[in-house]
Structures are given as C-alpha cells and as structure tokens.
Amino acid sequence: CVAAVLLFTRLPPGPGVRAFSAVVGLVVVGGILIACSPGRDPRQEILAALPVRPGAVVLARTAVVLSTDVVLATAASTVVATRAGIALVDVVAAWLGPAALAAAVALFVAVWRSTVAGATTGGALWLLTSATGYASATGVEPRQGALGHLSALQALTTTSTLSLALAATLVAGACLVARPVSQGRAAR
C-alpha cells in the first residue's frame, strides 16, 4: 500500500487514483493466493489431524487476509483522498469492487484447481479491470470489436452490489469446494 501511495503522488489525481486502485487490487489478490497456497504451509500436518473442515480453514484465512488488506488499503486511501482533494468513499469505491472480485476469482480457482490456475485467472481479471478502469479515468472510449466488450466488464467490476455479491458467492463456493488435506500431501 505504501508503494501505491508513492505511485499516486507521481500522477495526476484521476489516473493516480486508478493506479493506486490497481496496486491495491494486486496486493489483495497476492495476499489471497499466499493464504490459500498449500505447497508451503507448515500447518498442513496439524490440519490433517484436526477435525476442522477445509472450508472453515479457507474461510478463516480469507477473512484474516481480506480484513488486513481492507484496513491497510483504507488507511492508504485516506492519504490519497486527502492529497487528491476527493472524498474517501470515492477512493475506496475505486478499488474495493475490482479487488474483491479479482481476489474471489483467484481464491475460487486456486482452491478448486491449483494455485497457479488461481493466480492466472485472478491476475488476468486484475489486468482487465485495471485496464478498463484506467481507460475510463483518462477518457478513452472502448472501440467496437473485442475491446468493445470491456465496457461490460467495467460495469461488472466497479464497486456495486452485484460485484460484491458475486465476490461473496465465489468465496462461499471456494469454501464448498475445498478438499481435505490428504495424508500423502500433509507429509511433504
């Protein structure tokens, strides 16, 4: 978040807020992927031995990571809003929906398939939302054809009831598809 604030100070307010939002989204997606990555988790043996459902573990980790990210990003947003002279709610709205949706997609795919697949899909969605957000902040209109569909993506990935509900649904889905740690996997 510190890097995002420093990046913001180098750009004009409109594109600066979008760049700040993009960095916050990347931090949130990265945090979620680290939290759900089973390959380097020394607690896997404990999780295999305890009667804790995998979905509960995914939900607990997600809650801790997202709570930490939201608190830090909101603090950084306060600095950005003050320097840009805009409302804090506008700065938070610029990153909350896209970051939540990209992180939820990354989490669901990482738990359902693999961390690499989650990183790929979450990263692709992050890149698309950052590109559409930056285009709208600079006044670039999407063209017809393949880029013309970016406006539909932009409508989905703004901070709205739809995007936040979709993100919550994907997190719930990740909890449902989480599998128990196998004995062979836990012994690694």
Side-chain angles (χ1 to χ4, degrees):
C1 287
V2 172
V5 171
L6 292 175
L7 178 64
F8 166 77
T9 61
R10 305 278 187 225
L11 297 171
V17 170
R18 289 307 312 165
F20 171 78
S21 300
V23 173
V24 168
L26 188 60
V27 167
V28 171
V29 169
I32 286 295
L33 289 171
I34 290 170
C36 70
S37 175
R40 297 195 171 114
D41 192 353
R43 299 169 296 232
Q44 289 295 345
E45 290 180 13
I46 295 171
L47 290 175
L50 292 176
V52 177
R53 297 192 54 144
V57 174
V58 168
L59 186 59
R61 287 181 179 181
T62 302
V64 168
V65 169
L66 285 180
S67 297
T68 303
D69 286 342
V70 166
V71 166
L72 293 175
T74 302
S77 295
T78 304
V79 173
V80 169
T82 302
R83 290 194 59 130
I86 57 178
L88 175 62
V89 70
D90 293 336
V91 177
V92 172
W95 60 260
L96 182 61
L101 188 60
V105 167
L107 173 69
F108 180 81
V109 175
V111 169
W112 178 46
R113 289 292 177 206
S114 71
T115 306
V116 172
T120 303
T121 55
L125 184 58
W126 168 82
L127 185 61
L128 285 172
T129 58
S130 298
T132 57
Y134 188 79
S136 68
T138 55
V140 174
E141 292 294 323
R143 294 183 182 181
Q144 294 295 25
L147 292 179
H149 299 293
L150 290 180
S151 59
L153 177 68
Q154 183 179 0
L156 178 64
T157 58
T158 58
T159 299
S160 65
T161 305
L162 176 64
S163 64
L164 296 177
L166 184 57
T169 302
L170 286 168
V171 169
C175 294
L176 292 174
V177 300
R179 294 177 296 275
V181 179
S182 66
Q183 294 297 332
R185 189 171 158 199
R188 268 203 262 175

